[in-house]
Amino acid sequence: MSTIRVTDEVKERLRDLKRDEESFNDLLDRLSRSEKDVEAIAESLPSVDEKEIEQMDEARERLNESLEDRR
């Protein structure tokens, strides 16, 4: 068993991601596996051009702004 130090802010974010019956260890295991799964899926997707990347960035920015407005 190991101890990992995180800031209170990080612990809060992790707590928000944690499912009801999930331990922090289970959460970190799930997140670390998910990232690898996402990478594998991403490798199988077709590439996108610069214009599409710009459109996605703009959509992400609009979404982030709308979420900030809700706070």
Side-chain angles (χ1 to χ4, degrees):
M1 186 67 66
S2 299
T3 301
I4 300 173
R5 293 177 183 241
V6 297
T7 64
D8 290 339
E9 181 181 325
V10 169
K11 187 174 181 181
E12 281 183 38
R13 290 197 313 260
L14 289 171
R15 187 178 299 121
D16 291 342
L17 293 172
K18 194 167 79 60
R19 296 173 181 161
D20 290 338
E21 300 299 320
E22 192 172 44
S23 68
F24 279 103
N25 187 77
D26 293 339
L27 166 68
L28 294 172
D29 182 53
R30 177 172 54 87
L31 292 176
S32 65
R33 280 186 288 107
S34 297
E35 183 175 322
K36 291 176 186 173
D37 295 342
V38 169
E39 288 175 1
I41 292 169
E43 290 173 0
S44 69
L45 297 174
S47 61
V48 295
D49 64 28
E50 287 297 317
K51 183 177 180 179
E52 292 170 312
I53 292 172
E54 287 177 20
Q55 291 172 335
M56 287 185 278
D57 284 341
E58 290 168 2
R60 180 183 41 81
E61 287 176 18
R62 286 192 307 272
L63 176 61
N64 287 338
E65 288 172 3
S66 71
L67 292 173
E68 287 176 10
D69 291 342
R70 291 183 180 189
R71 292 184 183 183

PDB file of all heavy atoms in Angstrom, residues 3-41:
ATOM      1  N   THR A   3       1.036   5.778  -0.208  1.00  0.00           N
ATOM      2  CA  THR A   3       0.335   7.021   0.070  1.00  0.00           C
ATOM      3  C   THR A   3       0.663   8.009  -1.040  1.00  0.00           C
ATOM      4  O   THR A   3       1.817   8.135  -1.441  1.00  0.00           O
ATOM      5  CB  THR A   3       0.789   7.608   1.423  1.00  0.00           C
ATOM      6  OG1 THR A   3       0.518   6.651   2.441  1.00  0.00           O
ATOM      7  CG2 THR A   3       0.086   8.916   1.715  1.00  0.00           C
ATOM      8  N   ILE A   4      -0.365   8.686  -1.532  1.00  0.00           N
ATOM      9  CA  ILE A   4      -0.177   9.705  -2.565  1.00  0.00           C
ATOM     10  C   ILE A   4      -0.685  11.024  -1.997  1.00  0.00           C
ATOM     11  O   ILE A   4      -1.819  11.111  -1.534  1.00  0.00           O
ATOM     12  CB  ILE A   4      -0.968   9.355  -3.847  1.00  0.00           C
ATOM     13  CG1 ILE A   4      -0.496   8.027  -4.415  1.00  0.00           C
ATOM     14  CG2 ILE A   4      -0.829  10.463  -4.880  1.00  0.00           C
ATOM     15  CD1 ILE A   4      -1.327   7.533  -5.571  1.00  0.00           C
ATOM     16  N   ARG A   5       0.138  12.052  -2.045  1.00  0.00           N
ATOM     17  CA  ARG A   5      -0.267  13.363  -1.543  1.00  0.00           C
ATOM     18  C   ARG A   5      -0.874  14.184  -2.673  1.00  0.00           C
ATOM     19  O   ARG A   5      -0.321  14.259  -3.761  1.00  0.00           O
ATOM     20  CB  ARG A   5       0.933  14.115  -0.966  1.00  0.00           C
ATOM     21  CG  ARG A   5       1.487  13.495   0.281  1.00  0.00           C
ATOM     22  CD  ARG A   5       2.722  14.269   0.735  1.00  0.00           C
ATOM     23  NE  ARG A   5       3.276  13.634   1.888  1.00  0.00           N
ATOM     24  CZ  ARG A   5       3.394  14.223   3.067  1.00  0.00           C
ATOM     25  NH1 ARG A   5       3.034  15.479   3.216  1.00  0.00           N
ATOM     26  NH2 ARG A   5       3.911  13.581   4.080  1.00  0.00           N
ATOM     27  N   VAL A   6      -2.016  14.766  -2.389  1.00  0.00           N
ATOM     28  CA  VAL A   6      -2.674  15.662  -3.337  1.00  0.00           C
ATOM     29  C   VAL A   6      -3.167  16.883  -2.570  1.00  0.00           C
ATOM     30  O   VAL A   6      -3.399  16.813  -1.362  1.00  0.00           O
ATOM     31  CB  VAL A   6      -3.862  14.981  -4.070  1.00  0.00           C
ATOM     32  CG1 VAL A   6      -3.371  13.817  -4.919  1.00  0.00           C
ATOM     33  CG2 VAL A   6      -4.918  14.513  -3.104  1.00  0.00           C
ATOM     34  N   THR A   7      -3.349  17.973  -3.278  1.00  0.00           N
ATOM     35  CA  THR A   7      -3.885  19.170  -2.639  1.00  0.00           C
ATOM     36  C   THR A   7      -5.353  18.959  -2.307  1.00  0.00           C
ATOM     37  O   THR A   7      -6.011  18.055  -2.850  1.00  0.00           O
ATOM     38  CB  THR A   7      -3.757  20.399  -3.564  1.00  0.00           C
ATOM     39  OG1 THR A   7      -4.567  20.170  -4.721  1.00  0.00           O
ATOM     40  CG2 THR A   7      -2.310  20.653  -3.960  1.00  0.00           C
ATOM     41  N   ASP A   8      -5.879  19.790  -1.440  1.00  0.00           N
ATOM     42  CA  ASP A   8      -7.302  19.711  -1.099  1.00  0.00           C
ATOM     43  C   ASP A   8      -8.167  19.922  -2.336  1.00  0.00           C
ATOM     44  O   ASP A   8      -9.207  19.280  -2.493  1.00  0.00           O
ATOM     45  CB  ASP A   8      -7.664  20.741  -0.024  1.00  0.00           C
ATOM     46  CG  ASP A   8      -7.064  20.397   1.323  1.00  0.00           C
ATOM     47  OD1 ASP A   8      -6.727  19.207   1.552  1.00  0.00           O
ATOM     48  OD2 ASP A   8      -6.930  21.306   2.170  1.00  0.00           O
ATOM     49  N   GLU A   9      -7.733  20.816  -3.222  1.00  0.00           N
ATOM     50  CA  GLU A   9      -8.481  21.100  -4.452  1.00  0.00           C
ATOM     51  C   GLU A   9      -8.560  19.850  -5.336  1.00  0.00           C
ATOM     52  O   GLU A   9      -9.621  19.509  -5.848  1.00  0.00           O
ATOM     53  CB  GLU A   9      -7.817  22.240  -5.212  1.00  0.00           C
ATOM     54  CG  GLU A   9      -8.528  22.628  -6.481  1.00  0.00           C
ATOM     55  CD  GLU A   9      -7.827  23.751  -7.213  1.00  0.00           C
ATOM     56  OE1 GLU A   9      -7.264  24.638  -6.552  1.00  0.00           O
ATOM     57  OE2 GLU A   9      -7.860  23.739  -8.448  1.00  0.00           O
ATOM     58  N   VAL A  10      -7.445  19.157  -5.488  1.00  0.00           N
ATOM     59  CA  VAL A  10      -7.431  17.940  -6.300  1.00  0.00           C
ATOM     60  C   VAL A  10      -8.298  16.871  -5.644  1.00  0.00           C
ATOM     61  O   VAL A  10      -9.062  16.179  -6.323  1.00  0.00           O
ATOM     62  CB  VAL A  10      -5.983  17.432  -6.498  1.00  0.00           C
ATOM     63  CG1 VAL A  10      -5.964  16.032  -7.105  1.00  0.00           C
ATOM     64  CG2 VAL A  10      -5.199  18.404  -7.362  1.00  0.00           C
ATOM     65  N   LYS A  11      -8.211  16.755  -4.335  1.00  0.00           N
ATOM     66  CA  LYS A  11      -9.024  15.754  -3.639  1.00  0.00           C
ATOM     67  C   LYS A  11     -10.517  16.025  -3.837  1.00  0.00           C
ATOM     68  O   LYS A  11     -11.305  15.100  -4.043  1.00  0.00           O
ATOM     69  CB  LYS A  11      -8.690  15.723  -2.153  1.00  0.00           C
ATOM     70  CG  LYS A  11      -9.383  14.589  -1.438  1.00  0.00           C
ATOM     71  CD  LYS A  11      -8.938  14.463  -0.007  1.00  0.00           C
ATOM     72  CE  LYS A  11      -9.639  13.289   0.662  1.00  0.00           C
ATOM     73  NZ  LYS A  11      -9.253  13.132   2.056  1.00  0.00           N
ATOM     74  N   GLU A  12     -10.913  17.298  -3.825  1.00  0.00           N
ATOM     75  CA  GLU A  12     -12.320  17.647  -4.066  1.00  0.00           C
ATOM     76  C   GLU A  12     -12.751  17.236  -5.464  1.00  0.00           C
ATOM     77  O   GLU A  12     -13.845  16.696  -5.656  1.00  0.00           O
ATOM     78  CB  GLU A  12     -12.536  19.147  -3.881  1.00  0.00           C
ATOM     79  CG  GLU A  12     -12.644  19.582  -2.445  1.00  0.00           C
ATOM     80  CD  GLU A  12     -12.928  21.073  -2.327  1.00  0.00           C
ATOM     81  OE1 GLU A  12     -13.701  21.605  -3.144  1.00  0.00           O
ATOM     82  OE2 GLU A  12     -12.365  21.700  -1.418  1.00  0.00           O
ATOM     83  N   ARG A  13     -11.897  17.515  -6.459  1.00  0.00           N
ATOM     84  CA  ARG A  13     -12.234  17.139  -7.833  1.00  0.00           C
ATOM     85  C   ARG A  13     -12.339  15.629  -7.973  1.00  0.00           C
ATOM     86  O   ARG A  13     -13.233  15.120  -8.633  1.00  0.00           O
ATOM     87  CB  ARG A  13     -11.213  17.711  -8.822  1.00  0.00           C
ATOM     88  CG  ARG A  13     -11.316  19.228  -8.963  1.00  0.00           C
ATOM     89  CD  ARG A  13     -10.616  19.758 -10.203  1.00  0.00           C
ATOM     90  NE  ARG A  13      -9.299  19.240 -10.427  1.00  0.00           N
ATOM     91  CZ  ARG A  13      -8.158  19.869 -10.131  1.00  0.00           C
ATOM     92  NH1 ARG A  13      -8.193  21.064  -9.578  1.00  0.00           N
ATOM     93  NH2 ARG A  13      -6.999  19.324 -10.392  1.00  0.00           N
ATOM     94  N   LEU A  14     -11.428  14.910  -7.325  1.00  0.00           N
ATOM     95  CA  LEU A  14     -11.491  13.453  -7.359  1.00  0.00           C
ATOM     96  C   LEU A  14     -12.753  12.953  -6.667  1.00  0.00           C
ATOM     97  O   LEU A  14     -13.413  12.028  -7.155  1.00  0.00           O
ATOM     98  CB  LEU A  14     -10.253  12.838  -6.701  1.00  0.00           C
ATOM     99  CG  LEU A  14      -8.944  12.980  -7.471  1.00  0.00           C
ATOM    100  CD1 LEU A  14      -7.774  12.516  -6.614  1.00  0.00           C
ATOM    101  CD2 LEU A  14      -8.992  12.204  -8.778  1.00  0.00           C
ATOM    102  N   ARG A  15     -13.104  13.566  -5.545  1.00  0.00           N
ATOM    103  CA  ARG A  15     -14.318  13.171  -4.823  1.00  0.00           C
ATOM    104  C   ARG A  15     -15.545  13.365  -5.712  1.00  0.00           C
ATOM    105  O   ARG A  15     -16.466  12.550  -5.706  1.00  0.00           O
ATOM    106  CB  ARG A  15     -14.454  13.981  -3.537  1.00  0.00           C
ATOM    107  CG  ARG A  15     -15.596  13.506  -2.653  1.00  0.00           C
ATOM    108  CD  ARG A  15     -15.720  14.279  -1.355  1.00  0.00           C
ATOM    109  NE  ARG A  15     -14.525  14.171  -0.535  1.00  0.00           N
ATOM    110  CZ  ARG A  15     -13.777  15.214  -0.130  1.00  0.00           C
ATOM    111  NH1 ARG A  15     -14.123  16.441  -0.460  1.00  0.00           N
ATOM    112  NH2 ARG A  15     -12.725  15.026   0.608  1.00  0.00           N
ATOM    113  N   ASP A  16     -15.553  14.445  -6.501  1.00  0.00           N
ATOM    114  CA  ASP A  16     -16.675  14.702  -7.410  1.00  0.00           C
ATOM    115  C   ASP A  16     -16.770  13.642  -8.515  1.00  0.00           C
ATOM    116  O   ASP A  16     -17.858  13.353  -9.002  1.00  0.00           O
ATOM    117  CB  ASP A  16     -16.560  16.085  -8.047  1.00  0.00           C
ATOM    118  CG  ASP A  16     -16.777  17.210  -7.050  1.00  0.00           C
ATOM    119  OD1 ASP A  16     -17.343  16.954  -5.967  1.00  0.00           O
ATOM    120  OD2 ASP A  16     -16.358  18.343  -7.350  1.00  0.00           O
ATOM    121  N   LEU A  17     -15.640  13.086  -8.906  1.00  0.00           N
ATOM    122  CA  LEU A  17     -15.611  12.069  -9.969  1.00  0.00           C
ATOM    123  C   LEU A  17     -15.928  10.672  -9.441  1.00  0.00           C
ATOM    124  O   LEU A  17     -16.335   9.801 -10.202  1.00  0.00           O
ATOM    125  CB  LEU A  17     -14.220  12.025 -10.617  1.00  0.00           C
ATOM    126  CG  LEU A  17     -13.800  13.248 -11.421  1.00  0.00           C
ATOM    127  CD1 LEU A  17     -12.336  13.124 -11.820  1.00  0.00           C
ATOM    128  CD2 LEU A  17     -14.682  13.407 -12.651  1.00  0.00           C
ATOM    129  N   LYS A  18     -15.758  10.480  -8.145  1.00  0.00           N
ATOM    130  CA  LYS A  18     -15.911   9.163  -7.529  1.00  0.00           C
ATOM    131  C   LYS A  18     -17.373   8.755  -7.501  1.00  0.00           C
ATOM    132  O   LYS A  18     -18.252   9.532  -7.169  1.00  0.00           O
ATOM    133  CB  LYS A  18     -15.338   9.223  -6.106  1.00  0.00           C
ATOM    134  CG  LYS A  18     -15.109   7.886  -5.460  1.00  0.00           C
ATOM    135  CD  LYS A  18     -14.262   8.023  -4.212  1.00  0.00           C
ATOM    136  CE  LYS A  18     -15.004   8.491  -3.011  1.00  0.00           C
ATOM    137  NZ  LYS A  18     -16.091   7.658  -2.582  1.00  0.00           N
ATOM    138  N   ARG A  19     -17.627   7.511  -7.856  1.00  0.00           N
ATOM    139  CA  ARG A  19     -18.983   6.963  -7.788  1.00  0.00           C
ATOM    140  C   ARG A  19     -19.313   6.613  -6.341  1.00  0.00           C
ATOM    141  O   ARG A  19     -18.420   6.446  -5.512  1.00  0.00           O
ATOM    142  CB  ARG A  19     -19.082   5.734  -8.688  1.00  0.00           C
ATOM    143  CG  ARG A  19     -18.877   6.106 -10.151  1.00  0.00           C
ATOM    144  CD  ARG A  19     -18.810   4.893 -11.031  1.00  0.00           C
ATOM    145  NE  ARG A  19     -18.599   5.294 -12.420  1.00  0.00           N
ATOM    146  CZ  ARG A  19     -18.141   4.491 -13.351  1.00  0.00           C
ATOM    147  NH1 ARG A  19     -17.852   3.235 -13.075  1.00  0.00           N
ATOM    148  NH2 ARG A  19     -17.967   4.932 -14.577  1.00  0.00           N
ATOM    149  N   ASP A  20     -20.598   6.472  -6.031  1.00  0.00           N
ATOM    150  CA  ASP A  20     -21.055   6.276  -4.656  1.00  0.00           C
ATOM    151  C   ASP A  20     -20.334   5.162  -3.912  1.00  0.00           C
ATOM    152  O   ASP A  20     -19.864   5.358  -2.806  1.00  0.00           O
ATOM    153  CB  ASP A  20     -22.568   6.027  -4.615  1.00  0.00           C
ATOM    154  CG  ASP A  20     -23.361   7.275  -4.952  1.00  0.00           C
ATOM    155  OD1 ASP A  20     -22.809   8.385  -4.808  1.00  0.00           O
ATOM    156  OD2 ASP A  20     -24.519   7.135  -5.359  1.00  0.00           O
ATOM    157  N   GLU A  21     -20.266   3.995  -4.477  1.00  0.00           N
ATOM    158  CA  GLU A  21     -19.686   2.837  -3.787  1.00  0.00           C
ATOM    159  C   GLU A  21     -18.214   2.617  -4.156  1.00  0.00           C
ATOM    160  O   GLU A  21     -17.677   1.548  -3.908  1.00  0.00           O
ATOM    161  CB  GLU A  21     -20.497   1.577  -4.107  1.00  0.00           C
ATOM    162  CG  GLU A  21     -21.948   1.660  -3.688  1.00  0.00           C
ATOM    163  CD  GLU A  21     -22.110   1.857  -2.176  1.00  0.00           C
ATOM    164  OE1 GLU A  21     -21.361   1.229  -1.408  1.00  0.00           O
ATOM    165  OE2 GLU A  21     -22.986   2.653  -1.790  1.00  0.00           O
ATOM    166  N   GLU A  22     -17.576   3.626  -4.711  1.00  0.00           N
ATOM    167  CA  GLU A  22     -16.220   3.488  -5.231  1.00  0.00           C
ATOM    168  C   GLU A  22     -15.213   4.065  -4.243  1.00  0.00           C
ATOM    169  O   GLU A  22     -15.411   5.151  -3.714  1.00  0.00           O
ATOM    170  CB  GLU A  22     -16.148   4.234  -6.574  1.00  0.00           C
ATOM    171  CG  GLU A  22     -14.932   3.986  -7.390  1.00  0.00           C
ATOM    172  CD  GLU A  22     -15.045   4.620  -8.766  1.00  0.00           C
ATOM    173  OE1 GLU A  22     -15.493   5.779  -8.877  1.00  0.00           O
ATOM    174  OE2 GLU A  22     -14.689   3.942  -9.733  1.00  0.00           O
ATOM    175  N   SER A  23     -14.127   3.357  -4.010  1.00  0.00           N
ATOM    176  CA  SER A  23     -13.042   3.890  -3.191  1.00  0.00           C
ATOM    177  C   SER A  23     -12.173   4.810  -4.062  1.00  0.00           C
ATOM    178  O   SER A  23     -12.277   4.783  -5.298  1.00  0.00           O
ATOM    179  CB  SER A  23     -12.190   2.750  -2.627  1.00  0.00           C
ATOM    180  OG  SER A  23     -11.474   2.114  -3.677  1.00  0.00           O
ATOM    181  N   PHE A  24     -11.296   5.588  -3.433  1.00  0.00           N
ATOM    182  CA  PHE A  24     -10.388   6.418  -4.225  1.00  0.00           C
ATOM    183  C   PHE A  24      -9.467   5.531  -5.062  1.00  0.00           C
ATOM    184  O   PHE A  24      -9.135   5.855  -6.194  1.00  0.00           O
ATOM    185  CB  PHE A  24      -9.569   7.356  -3.329  1.00  0.00           C
ATOM    186  CG  PHE A  24     -10.335   8.585  -2.925  1.00  0.00           C
ATOM    187  CD1 PHE A  24     -10.865   8.689  -1.650  1.00  0.00           C
ATOM    188  CD2 PHE A  24     -10.539   9.620  -3.804  1.00  0.00           C
ATOM    189  CE1 PHE A  24     -11.585   9.811  -1.271  1.00  0.00           C
ATOM    190  CE2 PHE A  24     -11.263  10.751  -3.450  1.00  0.00           C
ATOM    191  CZ  PHE A  24     -11.778  10.837  -2.173  1.00  0.00           C
ATOM    192  N   ASN A  25      -9.068   4.396  -4.519  1.00  0.00           N
ATOM    193  CA  ASN A  25      -8.241   3.462  -5.277  1.00  0.00           C
ATOM    194  C   ASN A  25      -8.994   2.974  -6.517  1.00  0.00           C
ATOM    195  O   ASN A  25      -8.438   2.933  -7.621  1.00  0.00           O
ATOM    196  CB  ASN A  25      -7.845   2.270  -4.405  1.00  0.00           C
ATOM    197  CG  ASN A  25      -6.851   1.378  -5.107  1.00  0.00           C
ATOM    198  OD1 ASN A  25      -5.675   1.686  -5.192  1.00  0.00           O
ATOM    199  ND2 ASN A  25      -7.334   0.258  -5.638  1.00  0.00           N
ATOM    200  N   ASP A  26     -10.269   2.614  -6.338  1.00  0.00           N
ATOM    201  CA  ASP A  26     -11.089   2.170  -7.473  1.00  0.00           C
ATOM    202  C   ASP A  26     -11.220   3.286  -8.508  1.00  0.00           C
ATOM    203  O   ASP A  26     -11.150   3.043  -9.719  1.00  0.00           O
ATOM    204  CB  ASP A  26     -12.486   1.743  -7.008  1.00  0.00           C
ATOM    205  CG  ASP A  26     -12.456   0.499  -6.140  1.00  0.00           C
ATOM    206  OD1 ASP A  26     -11.464  -0.261  -6.201  1.00  0.00           O
ATOM    207  OD2 ASP A  26     -13.428   0.297  -5.393  1.00  0.00           O
ATOM    208  N   LEU A  27     -11.424   4.509  -8.039  1.00  0.00           N
ATOM    209  CA  LEU A  27     -11.545   5.657  -8.939  1.00  0.00           C
ATOM    210  C   LEU A  27     -10.276   5.825  -9.771  1.00  0.00           C
ATOM    211  O   LEU A  27     -10.338   5.947 -11.001  1.00  0.00           O
ATOM    212  CB  LEU A  27     -11.814   6.939  -8.144  1.00  0.00           C
ATOM    213  CG  LEU A  27     -11.634   8.247  -8.908  1.00  0.00           C
ATOM    214  CD1 LEU A  27     -12.707   8.395  -9.977  1.00  0.00           C
ATOM    215  CD2 LEU A  27     -11.628   9.419  -7.963  1.00  0.00           C
ATOM    216  N   LEU A  28      -9.132   5.839  -9.105  1.00  0.00           N
ATOM    217  CA  LEU A  28      -7.874   6.037  -9.824  1.00  0.00           C
ATOM    218  C   LEU A  28      -7.603   4.889 -10.786  1.00  0.00           C
ATOM    219  O   LEU A  28      -7.105   5.107 -11.898  1.00  0.00           O
ATOM    220  CB  LEU A  28      -6.719   6.205  -8.836  1.00  0.00           C
ATOM    221  CG  LEU A  28      -6.805   7.474  -7.988  1.00  0.00           C
ATOM    222  CD1 LEU A  28      -5.741   7.459  -6.902  1.00  0.00           C
ATOM    223  CD2 LEU A  28      -6.682   8.721  -8.848  1.00  0.00           C
ATOM    224  N   ASP A  29      -7.966   3.681 -10.395  1.00  0.00           N
ATOM    225  CA  ASP A  29      -7.819   2.542 -11.290  1.00  0.00           C
ATOM    226  C   ASP A  29      -8.689   2.725 -12.526  1.00  0.00           C
ATOM    227  O   ASP A  29      -8.244   2.539 -13.660  1.00  0.00           O
ATOM    228  CB  ASP A  29      -8.186   1.249 -10.552  1.00  0.00           C
ATOM    229  CG  ASP A  29      -8.018   0.027 -11.415  1.00  0.00           C
ATOM    230  OD1 ASP A  29      -6.923  -0.159 -11.992  1.00  0.00           O
ATOM    231  OD2 ASP A  29      -8.984  -0.755 -11.513  1.00  0.00           O
ATOM    232  N   ARG A  30      -9.946   3.117 -12.316  1.00  0.00           N
ATOM    233  CA  ARG A  30     -10.876   3.331 -13.433  1.00  0.00           C
ATOM    234  C   ARG A  30     -10.376   4.435 -14.354  1.00  0.00           C
ATOM    235  O   ARG A  30     -10.377   4.289 -15.580  1.00  0.00           O
ATOM    236  CB  ARG A  30     -12.269   3.683 -12.896  1.00  0.00           C
ATOM    237  CG  ARG A  30     -13.287   4.000 -13.980  1.00  0.00           C
ATOM    238  CD  ARG A  30     -14.695   4.146 -13.437  1.00  0.00           C
ATOM    239  NE  ARG A  30     -14.848   5.101 -12.366  1.00  0.00           N
ATOM    240  CZ  ARG A  30     -15.072   6.412 -12.546  1.00  0.00           C
ATOM    241  NH1 ARG A  30     -15.151   6.911 -13.760  1.00  0.00           N
ATOM    242  NH2 ARG A  30     -15.236   7.201 -11.498  1.00  0.00           N
ATOM    243  N   LEU A  31      -9.929   5.540 -13.779  1.00  0.00           N
ATOM    244  CA  LEU A  31      -9.466   6.662 -14.596  1.00  0.00           C
ATOM    245  C   LEU A  31      -8.211   6.304 -15.378  1.00  0.00           C
ATOM    246  O   LEU A  31      -8.071   6.687 -16.542  1.00  0.00           O
ATOM    247  CB  LEU A  31      -9.212   7.890 -13.720  1.00  0.00           C
ATOM    248  CG  LEU A  31     -10.440   8.524 -13.089  1.00  0.00           C
ATOM    249  CD1 LEU A  31     -10.024   9.665 -12.166  1.00  0.00           C
ATOM    250  CD2 LEU A  31     -11.423   8.995 -14.131  1.00  0.00           C
ATOM    251  N   SER A  32      -7.314   5.582 -14.770  1.00  0.00           N
ATOM    252  CA  SER A  32      -6.075   5.233 -15.479  1.00  0.00           C
ATOM    253  C   SER A  32      -6.353   4.248 -16.607  1.00  0.00           C
ATOM    254  O   SER A  32      -5.734   4.320 -17.663  1.00  0.00           O
ATOM    255  CB  SER A  32      -5.034   4.676 -14.509  1.00  0.00           C
ATOM    256  OG  SER A  32      -5.464   3.453 -13.941  1.00  0.00           O
ATOM    257  N   ARG A  33      -7.293   3.328 -16.399  1.00  0.00           N
ATOM    258  CA  ARG A  33      -7.665   2.400 -17.468  1.00  0.00           C
ATOM    259  C   ARG A  33      -8.404   3.139 -18.566  1.00  0.00           C
ATOM    260  O   ARG A  33      -8.174   2.909 -19.733  1.00  0.00           O
ATOM    261  CB  ARG A  33      -8.548   1.265 -16.932  1.00  0.00           C
ATOM    262  CG  ARG A  33      -7.776   0.179 -16.248  1.00  0.00           C
ATOM    263  CD  ARG A  33      -8.646  -0.991 -15.847  1.00  0.00           C
ATOM    264  NE  ARG A  33      -9.521  -0.635 -14.716  1.00  0.00           N
ATOM    265  CZ  ARG A  33     -10.834  -0.436 -14.809  1.00  0.00           C
ATOM    266  NH1 ARG A  33     -11.456  -0.577 -15.948  1.00  0.00           N
ATOM    267  NH2 ARG A  33     -11.546  -0.102 -13.756  1.00  0.00           N
ATOM    268  N   SER A  34      -9.278   4.054 -18.196  1.00  0.00           N
ATOM    269  CA  SER A  34     -10.073   4.784 -19.177  1.00  0.00           C
ATOM    270  C   SER A  34      -9.190   5.573 -20.117  1.00  0.00           C
ATOM    271  O   SER A  34      -9.445   5.646 -21.313  1.00  0.00           O
ATOM    272  CB  SER A  34     -11.051   5.737 -18.472  1.00  0.00           C
ATOM    273  OG  SER A  34     -11.956   4.998 -17.693  1.00  0.00           O
ATOM    274  N   GLU A  35      -8.136   6.190 -19.569  1.00  0.00           N
ATOM    275  CA  GLU A  35      -7.249   6.992 -20.409  1.00  0.00           C
ATOM    276  C   GLU A  35      -6.608   6.120 -21.479  1.00  0.00           C
ATOM    277  O   GLU A  35      -6.538   6.500 -22.637  1.00  0.00           O
ATOM    278  CB  GLU A  35      -6.175   7.664 -19.558  1.00  0.00           C
ATOM    279  CG  GLU A  35      -5.275   8.575 -20.370  1.00  0.00           C
ATOM    280  CD  GLU A  35      -4.300   9.334 -19.511  1.00  0.00           C
ATOM    281  OE1 GLU A  35      -4.681   9.759 -18.409  1.00  0.00           O
ATOM    282  OE2 GLU A  35      -3.152   9.491 -19.957  1.00  0.00           O
ATOM    283  N   LYS A  36      -6.171   4.933 -21.126  1.00  0.00           N
ATOM    284  CA  LYS A  36      -5.568   4.037 -22.100  1.00  0.00           C
ATOM    285  C   LYS A  36      -6.599   3.602 -23.121  1.00  0.00           C
ATOM    286  O   LYS A  36      -6.302   3.492 -24.311  1.00  0.00           O
ATOM    287  CB  LYS A  36      -4.960   2.824 -21.387  1.00  0.00           C
ATOM    288  CG  LYS A  36      -3.748   3.177 -20.560  1.00  0.00           C
ATOM    289  CD  LYS A  36      -3.234   1.985 -19.793  1.00  0.00           C
ATOM    290  CE  LYS A  36      -2.121   2.410 -18.859  1.00  0.00           C
ATOM    291  NZ  LYS A  36      -1.689   1.329 -17.982  1.00  0.00           N
ATOM    292  N   ASP A  37      -7.816   3.338 -22.668  1.00  0.00           N
ATOM    293  CA  ASP A  37      -8.883   2.952 -23.582  1.00  0.00           C
ATOM    294  C   ASP A  37      -9.175   4.078 -24.567  1.00  0.00           C
ATOM    295  O   ASP A  37      -9.376   3.839 -25.752  1.00  0.00           O
ATOM    296  CB  ASP A  37     -10.157   2.593 -22.823  1.00  0.00           C
ATOM    297  CG  ASP A  37      -9.983   1.344 -21.960  1.00  0.00           C
ATOM    298  OD1 ASP A  37      -9.030   0.570 -22.195  1.00  0.00           O
ATOM    299  OD2 ASP A  37     -10.803   1.158 -21.043  1.00  0.00           O
ATOM    300  N   VAL A  38      -9.204   5.297 -24.088  1.00  0.00           N
ATOM    301  CA  VAL A  38      -9.465   6.449 -24.951  1.00  0.00           C
ATOM    302  C   VAL A  38      -8.350   6.606 -25.975  1.00  0.00           C
ATOM    303  O   VAL A  38      -8.596   6.869 -27.148  1.00  0.00           O
ATOM    304  CB  VAL A  38      -9.634   7.743 -24.110  1.00  0.00           C
ATOM    305  CG1 VAL A  38      -9.624   8.971 -24.993  1.00  0.00           C
ATOM    306  CG2 VAL A  38     -10.897   7.669 -23.283  1.00  0.00           C
ATOM    307  N   GLU A  39      -7.111   6.408 -25.558  1.00  0.00           N
ATOM    308  CA  GLU A  39      -5.995   6.502 -26.493  1.00  0.00           C
ATOM    309  C   GLU A  39      -6.118   5.451 -27.596  1.00  0.00           C
ATOM    310  O   GLU A  39      -5.887   5.735 -28.771  1.00  0.00           O
ATOM    311  CB  GLU A  39      -4.665   6.340 -25.758  1.00  0.00           C
ATOM    312  CG  GLU A  39      -4.284   7.528 -24.907  1.00  0.00           C
ATOM    313  CD  GLU A  39      -3.026   7.293 -24.089  1.00  0.00           C
ATOM    314  OE1 GLU A  39      -2.428   6.201 -24.189  1.00  0.00           O
ATOM    315  OE2 GLU A  39      -2.657   8.200 -23.347  1.00  0.00           O
ATOM    316  N   ALA A  40      -6.500   4.247 -27.228  1.00  0.00           N
ATOM    317  CA  ALA A  40      -6.657   3.180 -28.227  1.00  0.00           C
ATOM    318  C   ALA A  40      -7.762   3.529 -29.208  1.00  0.00           C
ATOM    319  O   ALA A  40      -7.618   3.316 -30.419  1.00  0.00           O
ATOM    320  CB  ALA A  40      -6.952   1.854 -27.530  1.00  0.00           C
ATOM    321  N   ILE A  41      -8.864   4.065 -28.705  1.00  0.00           N
ATOM    322  CA  ILE A  41      -9.969   4.458 -29.580  1.00  0.00           C
ATOM    323  C   ILE A  41      -9.532   5.603 -30.492  1.00  0.00           C
ATOM    324  O   ILE A  41      -9.807   5.604 -31.692  1.00  0.00           O
ATOM    325  CB  ILE A  41     -11.201   4.864 -28.744  1.00  0.00           C
ATOM    326  CG1 ILE A  41     -11.774   3.638 -28.027  1.00  0.00           C
ATOM    327  CG2 ILE A  41     -12.259   5.526 -29.628  1.00  0.00           C
ATOM    328  CD1 ILE A  41     -12.810   3.976 -26.976  1.00  0.00           C
TER     329      ILE A  41
END
